[in-house]
Amino acid sequence: MGEDPRDKSSIQPGRSAVIAPGHTFATVTDKISSIVLTRRTPLFWFVPFLIASGLLMVFLAAVGYLFARGVGIWGIRVPVMWGWAITNFVWWIGIGHAGTLISAILLLLRQSWRNSINRFAEAMTLFAVACAGMFPLLHLGRPWLFYWLFPYPNSMGVQPQFRSPLVWDVFAVSTYATVSAMFWFVGLIPDLATLRDRARNRWARATYGILAMGWRGAASHWQKYETASLLLAGLATPLVLSVHTVVSFDFTVAIVPGWHSTIFPPYFVAGAIYSGFAMVLVLAIPLRAMYGLEDLITMRHLDNMAKVMLATGQIVAYSYLFEAFIAWYSGNTYEMFAIWNRMTGPYAPTYWLLIFCNLVFPQLLWLKKIRTNIVWLFVMSLDVLLGMWLERYVIVVVSLHRDFLPSSWGIYSPTIWDVATFVGTIGLFFFLFFLFIRSMPMISIFEVRTLLPQAEVTEGIEK
Amino acid sequence: MSQIFYPSTNTFSRLSIFGGIFIVAFLVWAWAELNESTYATRAKVPIQQPVPFSHEHHVGGLGIDCRYCHTSVENSSFANIPPTKTCMNCHSQIWNRAPMLEPVRESFRNDSSIRWIRVHDLPDYVYFNHSIHVAKGVGCTTCHGQVNKMPLMWQENSLQMSWCLDCHRHPERFVRPRSQVFSVNWQPPPNQVDMGRKLVKEYNIQSLTSCSTCHR
């Protein structure tokens, strides 16, 4: 490489490059692998990790108490039997969707900018699904019998009710978790081999070596790798749409006003990607600042993700407006009441806060100034995460608390254990995430290398 | 840097993937088998009682009807464990000095109960009613086995839910004419299913399989 790579950099005028100029294959590898292998573990890793561990302890305590006393420790009472648990489930599983969209759909669409964010976004997916999966299981009442959810030859002579979307959910989420884990692991193999080759510690070499599964970087390996990753991307792509569609069926198949709506599947998928990209930004913005990765996760990435947020946010906004419109247009007393109760009932503040967080405030993303300002983007992402949580809360709680029969109306309020369980899963999420960034390359080394100008293949031209 | 793994590791790792699948499958299978084994269900295990009462002798040998002791089986959920006085009807006259029967006489003298060990113990969350089963043509031996061949009582069947549902889903395979309900030697005839279908109609037997039939 005699020439300066900057000469060939593919910067378009007015647009920042996917990765900053000046990198070579070696510097990319050095930079990413050194975070795991050679650099001292920084203080800004330890502090959040300890906080997350503390929250994880809160989670374990809350779950321990739940096992001892049952779901009555939560605020769920007739008629609101779903409460925070299902709100949190939908929220977490939605967050996972961005990772799959980035890793699978953007791969198939050849959006090369995804290469610097797909690794940790996929990890985010896995950990979010792990957090999501906790809630329906803990909500079962006897969580230790969770395996009853699966059809297996049992001594009871009964099988799950396949006409229930709750059973579809079990399959949707477990398929999603399996495919995401496989996709993530297959994508890690070449990088694990890099770490194996660079690690000096004996145990690290052996561990990465076992995980790298004998990867030697041979052409045949790469050929198999490409096939496998395309196949897995093909498998994961429909999951981006199907998982949250099935989750929305949990609601729409029921006849409760506020749930029984055909708009839910696309609206849930858009909402999932919306909150998922918000979470990717919440993770990416501090990470790139702390580890000095601004040259790999550039403003262009943040800008693109903000645009995805803006687009999905508009779909969500459209759904909110049409939910209200259709309720009025249907002329159905209960539908109209459900919406009116959302807007003016006892939970009206949560509804209006949700409208502000998801619909009004994110309109600022139309401005490039906001999209390229990391502080604004960070605040905006937190705002969207809050808004999407509120959306699920409004759907679950406000629809259930007043349905057809006024005699069975009630008011729901969470208990300290609801809060502890939810905050606890945030702890679990960050606990896993910080372990991940400490032990695995958080950015895909070999995929970022393909973004370098040196990696460009020009066919048939002799220099 | 030296090699950390030898080429043979490739073979080993491939084996471990397939082996892992088989080990998991084996564990699942073994667990399922264990759950249905007589070890877990306690079926076919003779239970030691304070007095070694023999159904083989009393029912098979002497031909005493089930209802002589289990008096309420036709009109109550509970078939009844006979009181000591029922034993003493005969044993005040015959074998009235047998040392084996001393606990029975002691119970009679002190007006205290014999602590029989329950052989067929359904979980508390299951509602079961003897009278309806007997009235609809389910024989004693269909569930309890041929007690006339049991020197000591044992649980003949698993009492697992799938076993209950076998009959609730297909009553025609198990019902018998009402006149044969208390017959201990009755065997299903070759045309059981045809006869069963007729009886199901005649006795108006409903195939009740909703959860709340048993879990009330």
Side-chain angles (χ1 to χ4, degrees):
Chain A
M1 283 297 150
E3 60 196 324
D4 185 352
R6 267 166 288 204
D7 297 342
K8 280 173 70 179
S9 62
S10 55
I11 307 173
Q12 295 162 6
R15 212 158 174 219
S16 44
V18 174
I19 58 172
H23 269 299
T24 64
F25 294 141
T27 58
V28 167
T29 313
D30 271 340
K31 181 151 197 173
I32 302 171
S33 63
S34 69
I35 293 171
V36 179
L37 292 176
T38 48
R39 274 211 242 168
R40 278 171 64 92
T41 310
L43 191 64
F44 54 72
W45 183 87
F46 276 111
V47 172
F49 182 71
L50 283 179
I51 295 171
S53 307
L55 292 178
L56 181 61
M57 293 301 128
V58 172
F59 178 71
L60 293 180
V63 172
Y65 190 57
L66 180 89
F67 270 56
R69 295 294 304 277
V71 285
I73 63 167
W74 289 345
I76 49 173
R77 300 285 181 272
V78 174
V80 183
M81 294 309 287
W82 275 12
W84 271 40
I86 305 302
T87 306
N88 298 337
F89 162 66
V90 181
W91 187 72
W92 273 122
I93 201 98
I95 283 173
H97 279 56
T100 323
L101 183 119
I102 291 168
S103 56
I105 296 188
L106 296 188
L107 175 74
L108 296 182
L109 295 179
R110 295 171 190 272
Q111 295 294 306
S112 55
W113 59 277
R114 73 179 263 293
N115 288 6
S116 17
I117 54 171
N118 67 338
R119 172 68 47 72
F120 73 86
E122 278 174 51
M124 174 198 82
T125 296
L126 275 183
F127 306 148
V129 172
C131 293
M134 297 286 171
F135 285 103
L137 296 189
L138 296 175
H139 193 257
L140 287 174
R142 288 189 284 166
W144 49 91
L145 297 177
F146 72 94
Y147 56 89
W148 286 10
L149 292 165
F150 291 99
Y152 70 103
N154 59 54
S155 64
M156 292 168 289
V158 287
Q159 296 295 331
Q161 172 57 277
F162 275 94
R163 280 174 290 186
S164 163
L166 300 179
V167 173
W168 311 342
D169 231 13
V170 174
F171 287 94
V173 174
S174 50
T175 309
Y176 188 43
T178 314
V179 172
S180 303
M182 272 170 35
F183 200 10
W184 183 67
F185 178 66
V186 168
L188 263 170
I189 288 175
D191 281 0
L192 288 170
T194 307
L195 291 189
R196 171 200 61 195
D197 297 342
R198 300 183 141 236
R200 293 203 199 94
N201 177 314
R202 203 183 139 76
W203 285 105
R205 278 172 62 204
T207 312
Y208 289 124
I210 289 168
L211 290 173
M213 301 183 99
W215 180 270
R216 293 186 303 279
S220 64
H221 287 182
W222 281 110
Q223 194 256 338
K224 279 176 189 151
Y225 167 81
E226 289 293 339
T227 313
S229 93
L230 267 182
L231 276 176
L232 285 169
L235 272 176
T237 298
L239 288 176
V240 178
L241 303 175
S242 70
V243 175
H244 231 56
T245 299
V246 171
V247 170
S248 79
F249 287 162
D250 293 347
F251 300 98
T252 55
V253 172
I255 56 162
V256 176
W259 284 8
H260 194 57
S261 159
T262 49
I263 205 174
F264 267 32
Y267 155 26
F268 266 53
V269 172
I273 294 165
Y274 193 28
S275 61
F277 270 86
M279 187 57 111
V280 177
L281 281 169
V282 164
L283 297 173
I285 290 170
L287 270 188
R288 68 196 280 277
M290 290 190 310
Y291 285 102
L293 297 170
E294 288 95 341
D295 44 354
L296 298 177
I297 305 172
T298 57
M299 281 325 287
R300 169 125 173 244
H301 289 103
L302 303 186
D303 186 29
N304 279 355
M305 287 194 272
K307 281 177 186 163
V308 175
M309 257 170 66
L310 180 62
T312 47
Q314 299 313 307
I315 301 175
V316 170
Y318 173 86
S319 308
Y320 292 160
L321 297 179
F322 257 77
E323 227 182 356
F325 170 76
I326 292 292
W328 168 76
Y329 188 67
S330 71
N332 181 310
T333 318
Y334 300 106
E335 288 292 332
M336 283 195 279
F337 174 77
I339 287 289
W340 189 246
N341 181 49
R342 270 186 200 176
M343 294 174 174
T344 62
Y347 295 99
T350 51
Y351 180 75
W352 294 113
L353 184 58
L354 133 76
I355 292 293
F356 174 77
C357 289
N358 276 358
L359 199 152
V360 180
F361 192 51
Q363 299 306 325
L364 287 176
L365 287 174
W366 289 105
L367 306 174
K368 196 178 168 85
K369 244 188 206 160
I370 302 287
R371 288 202 310 272
T372 51
N373 180 318
I374 54 167
V375 177
W376 269 104
L377 261 186
F378 191 70
V379 171
M380 189 69 75
S381 306
L382 290 176
D383 162 86
V384 168
L385 284 175
L386 170 67
M388 287 309 295
W389 190 88
L390 286 170
E391 180 205 292
R392 278 65 177 257
Y393 181 81
V394 164
I395 290 172
V396 171
V397 172
V398 183
S399 307
L400 279 176
H401 92 118
R402 287 183 173 175
D403 63 356
F404 301 100
L405 276 181
S407 62
S408 62
W409 287 1
I411 285 290
Y412 168 87
S413 55
T415 64
I416 183 78
W417 295 105
D418 282 295
V419 181
T421 318
F422 177 51
V423 172
T425 51
I426 295 178
L428 172 66
F429 177 82
F430 281 102
F431 176 80
L432 293 170
F433 195 79
F434 276 93
L435 280 185
F436 157 74
I437 58 175
R438 179 62 191 82
S439 58
M440 302 274 169
M442 71 177 111
I443 295 176
S444 176
I445 301 172
F446 72 98
E447 281 176 299
V448 166
R449 285 191 301 224
T450 64
L451 297 179
L452 294 172
Q454 298 93 311
E456 257 175 52
V457 179
T458 37
E459 277 176 51
I461 298 168
E462 285 283 330
K463 279 228 163 156
Chain B
M1 243 194 290
S2 63
Q3 288 284 344
I4 29 175
F5 297 111
Y6 296 98
S8 59
T9 321
N10 283 336
T11 319
F12 181 75
S13 65
R14 275 185 205 118
L15 275 178
S16 71
I17 291 172
F18 288 103
I21 292 168
F22 284 119
I23 287 167
V24 169
F26 171 77
L27 287 177
V28 171
W29 173 82
W31 183 68
E33 282 294 308
L34 186 70
N35 253 342
E36 307 207 339
S37 67
T38 55
Y39 174 76
T41 62
R42 295 195 309 145
K44 313 269 185 191
V45 181
I47 307 287
Q48 294 296 328
Q49 300 284 2
V51 183
F53 178 84
S54 165
H55 278 83
E56 185 182 37
H57 171 63
H58 291 84
V59 182
L62 303 175
I64 300 175
D65 189 273
C66 308
R67 289 162 291 183
Y68 181 75
C69 301
H70 302 295
T71 49
S72 56
V73 70
E74 286 177 299
N75 41 36
S76 163
S77 62
F78 183 47
N80 189 31
I81 302 289
T84 305
K85 291 178 182 101
T86 306
C87 308
M88 293 304 281
N89 286 347
C90 299
H91 287 297
S92 59
Q93 309 295 322
I94 48 173
W95 296 105
N96 54 2
R97 282 168 206 279
M100 195 193 262
L101 296 178
E102 177 52 26
V104 180
R105 293 190 293 272
E106 189 196 338
S107 150
F108 189 68
R109 281 196 302 274
N110 302 343
D111 201 21
S112 61
S113 300
I114 302 173
R115 300 287 178 121
W116 298 106
I117 311 292
R118 191 162 195 160
V119 178
H120 292 83
D121 193 9
L122 287 176
D124 292 349
Y125 50 78
V126 177
Y127 174 80
F128 178 81
N129 191 315
H130 273 95
S131 65
I132 188 64
H133 288 86
V134 169
K136 295 281 181 178
V138 181
C140 303
T141 57
T142 303
C143 301
H144 293 289
Q146 284 207 281
V147 294
N148 56 330
K149 294 187 178 157
M150 298 182 190
L152 273 179
M153 193 64 188
W154 64 75
Q155 176 188 314
E156 177 72 10
N157 289 296
S158 72
L159 302 192
Q160 282 176 335
M161 185 168 147
S162 60
W163 170 77
C164 300
L165 286 173
D166 282 346
C167 187
H168 273 243
R169 283 176 178 151
H170 304 286
E172 70 279 359
R173 292 182 194 164
F174 301 95
V175 287
R176 57 176 89 171
R178 278 186 185 129
S179 59
Q180 297 299 315
V181 164
F182 297 101
S183 157
V184 281
N185 286 314
W186 187 85
Q187 294 295 334
N191 65 337
Q192 167 67 34
V193 175
D194 293 334
M195 182 197 71
R197 288 213 183 95
K198 269 182 223 142
L199 291 176
V200 164
K201 226 176 210 170
E202 193 186 330
Y203 299 160
N204 191 22
I205 296 173
Q206 304 164 50
S207 173
L208 292 177
T209 52
S210 78
C211 306
S212 61
T213 305
C214 311
H215 304 293
R216 302 193 161 186

